[in-house]
């Protein structure tokens, strides 16, 4: 039986848990790099954390193609997974794409089927048709959860649809990429939207999702540092708007780590939690420099958690990297 017929033969046997915008968030789970053809063994452990929300941070599936029927089949292959269906029935879900679900490895604004790919992403995520994302280019969105005094704004950045091309290094033996000093990541309209989302926001916690890493600068793979002016622009917007409790979450790297940078003008700490590797990570551990890293580099199957304690005058945030059977690999108080 071909994959399309196989998928058609499997009917949806669950009702996805709807988003509840009024309830305060106390536990947010997130992750990336999920190969739909590999065993989906992480979902029961994530569900056992009883998160209020799951956030896909990219590479929901691996479907490097311009064939939209094939890509749709691969999304559906993930969605009919019994383990994932049981998870969806328990945990509300939002998300954004990265390269392998958007188009192909390291894909950018030149991907010719990006509008069609966006439709497949929103369909997979069951995004309500009334949301503004349907009325504009790109897949970026924001959601606000919780009552006054316990508001969490989640900003999902699209680092694919408008991003300029990476500048490959023609010389062998050196870095994979050269800095594209005039290149952009978000595009004019998304930059304006991001600044508007952060300016005078009444949210008590701001979680910004970037599928690729923003703070780290030293590794040899895709990251915001490949576009230094865009990275600097993002940090300047953070300083200018000074949102309450800003947290970055990223994926892509097939590892997990926590990074922290001090914003120059505000002296606020900006943390980035990278969780990547729901179904696969590095085959062999290797050292990788990151002057901003807090704790260890983790090259095991993993998911991320963000706990929010609302009992005090200000929210207290704790990040965790966990793995199979709920193993705790790292815990960090975000101060």
């Amino acid at each position: 039986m071909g994959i399309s017929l196989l998928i058609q033969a499997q009917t949806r046997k669950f009702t996805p848990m709807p988003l509840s915008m009024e309830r305060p968030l106390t536990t947010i789970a997130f992750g990336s790099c999920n190969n739909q053809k590999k065993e989906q063994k992480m979902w029961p452990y994530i569900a056992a954390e009883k998160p209020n929300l799951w956030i896909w941070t990219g590479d929901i599936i691996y479907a490097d193609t311009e064939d939209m029927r094939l890509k749709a089949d691969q999304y559906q292959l993930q969605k009919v997974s019994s383990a994932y269906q049981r998870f969806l029935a328990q945990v509300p879900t939002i998300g954004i794409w990265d390269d392998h679900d958007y188009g192909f490895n390291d894909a950018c604004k030149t991907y010719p089927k990006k509008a069609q790919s966006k439709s497949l992403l929103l369909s997979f995520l069951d995004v309500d048709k009334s949301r503004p994302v349907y009325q504009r280019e790109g897949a970026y969105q924001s959601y606000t959860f919780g009552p006054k005094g316990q508001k969490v704004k989640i900003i999902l950045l699209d680092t694919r649809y408008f991003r300029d091309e990476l500048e490959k290094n023609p010389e062998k033996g050196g870095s994979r990429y050269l800095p594209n000093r005039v290149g952009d990541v978000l595009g004019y309209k998304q930059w304006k939207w991001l600044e508007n989302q952060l300016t005078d926001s009444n949210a008590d916690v701001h979680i910004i999702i970037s599928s690729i890493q923003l703070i780290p600068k030293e590794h040899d793979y895709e990251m915001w540092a490949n576009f230094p002016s865009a990275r600097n622009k993002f940090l300047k917007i953070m300083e200018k708007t000074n949102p309450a409790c800003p947290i970055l979450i990223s994926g892509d790297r097939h590892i997990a780590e926590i990074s922290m940078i001090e914003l120059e003008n505000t002296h606020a700490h900006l943390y980035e939690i990278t969780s990547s590797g729901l179904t696969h990570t590095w085959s062999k551990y290797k050292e990788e420099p990151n002057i901003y890293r807090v704790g260890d580099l983790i090259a095991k199957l993993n998911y991320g958690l963000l706990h929010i304690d609302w009992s005090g005058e200000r929210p207290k945030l704790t990040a965790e990297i966990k793995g199979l059977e709920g193993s705790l690999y790292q815990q960090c108080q975000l101060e």
Side-chain angles (χ1 to χ4, degrees):
M1 182 182 289
I3 187 169
S4 294
L5 293 176
L6 177 64
I7 291 170
Q8 290 172 15
Q10 300 185 55
T11 58
R12 179 180 288 189
K13 300 176 182 178
F14 73 105
T15 300
M17 179 68 73
L19 294 175
S20 176
M21 315 307 289
E22 295 78 22
R23 290 178 55 194
L25 299 178
T26 56
T27 299
I28 300 168
F30 51 92
S32 65
C33 299
N34 180 81
N35 190 322
Q36 70 281 4
K37 296 179 181 179
K38 292 182 180 291
E39 186 179 359
Q40 301 287 307
K41 54 188 176 183
M42 196 68 83
W43 299 112
Y45 304 115
I46 304 173
E49 307 284 354
K50 299 189 182 305
N52 310 118
L53 185 70
W54 167 259
I55 307 175
W56 283 108
T57 61
D59 291 338
I60 297 168
I61 58 169
Y62 283 70
D64 294 30
T65 182
E66 293 181 15
D67 183 337
M68 292 299 104
R69 182 172 180 177
L70 176 58
K71 193 180 289 288
D73 279 351
Q74 297 307 309
Y75 269 125
Q76 193 64 8
L77 184 62
Q78 174 62 31
K79 203 150 192 179
V80 299
S81 159
S82 58
Y84 185 59
Q85 285 196 357
R86 285 192 293 271
F87 181 81
L88 282 182
Q90 300 174 70
V91 184
T93 299
I94 61 175
I96 192 64
W97 55 23
D98 197 33
D99 49 352
H100 294 288
D101 38 2
Y102 168 71
F104 50 82
N105 188 50
D106 292 351
C108 63
K109 67 182 183 182
T110 60
Y111 178 62
K113 296 294 183 70
K114 58 187 182 180
Q116 298 93 324
S117 184
K118 170 187 169 181
S119 295
L120 295 180
L121 171 72
L122 299 182
S123 176
F124 173 83
L125 294 170
D126 295 309
V127 176
D128 191 281
K129 295 288 186 180
S130 66
R131 291 193 59 82
V133 66
Y134 287 98
Q135 308 304 319
R136 60 187 177 223
E137 288 191 288
Y140 57 95
Q141 296 192 71
S142 73
Y143 293 83
T144 301
F145 297 87
K148 183 178 180 181
Q150 297 180 324
K151 286 186 179 295
V152 177
K153 176 176 280 192
I154 298 175
I155 296 172
L156 301 160
L157 296 180
D158 186 338
T159 63
R160 295 292 162 189
Y161 205 97
F162 309 99
R163 203 209 73 200
D164 288 321
E165 294 192 52
L166 293 163
E167 190 168 330
K168 295 183 179 180
N169 188 350
E171 297 184 8
K172 294 183 178 180
S175 299
R176 181 176 306 192
Y177 302 115
L178 298 175
N180 184 340
R181 300 195 180 280
V182 297
D184 193 15
V185 175
L186 299 185
Y188 176 78
K189 290 184 178 180
Q190 188 175 186
W191 278 119
K192 295 295 292 182
W193 172 86
L194 172 61
E195 188 165 347
N196 287 338
Q197 290 292 315
L198 296 173
T199 299
D200 298 327
S201 169
N202 66 352
D204 303 280
V205 175
H206 295 80
I207 301 171
I208 303 173
I209 312 300
S210 169
S211 66
I212 58 174
Q213 287 186 313
L214 193 143
I215 291 179
K217 296 173 63 176
E218 298 167 83
H219 63 72
D220 198 29
Y221 302 95
E222 195 176 13
M223 56 183 167
W224 278 73
N226 299 135
F227 304 90
S229 63
R231 180 180 182 272
N232 184 63
K233 182 174 183 177
F234 178 90
L235 296 175
K236 292 299 183 185
I237 287 177
M238 297 301 294
E239 292 175 0
K240 177 183 177 182
T241 59
N242 194 26
C245 295
I247 307 293
L248 284 166
I249 292 176
S250 58
D252 177 59
R253 293 293 326 286
H254 302 177
I255 58 165
E257 63 181 348
I258 298 175
S259 306
M260 188 273 288
I261 192 170
E262 184 177 288
L263 299 175
E264 290 183 4
N265 292 337
T266 64
H267 300 292
H269 290 168
L270 178 62
Y271 285 87
E272 177 175 345
I273 306 107
T274 300
S275 175
S276 171
L278 288 167
T279 60
H280 56 293
T281 57
W282 289 353
S283 58
K284 293 182 179 179
Y285 180 87
K286 58 182 180 292
E287 289 295 327
E288 180 179 274
N290 178 6
I291 60 173
Y292 302 107
R293 185 181 297 131
V294 178
D296 299 323
L297 182 150
I298 298 158
K300 302 176 184 179
L301 297 181
N302 67 85
Y303 57 92
L305 292 172
L306 184 64
H307 299 287
I308 307 175
D309 179 356
W310 297 104
S311 63
E313 292 185 7
R314 298 186 59 205
K316 295 180 180 179
L317 294 97
T318 304
E320 293 180 337
I321 304 296
K322 302 186 80 170
L324 292 172
E325 300 182 355
S327 301
L328 179 62
Y329 299 141
Q330 188 170 355
Q331 185 178 73
C332 181
Q333 302 296 320
L334 308 184
E335 300 175 348

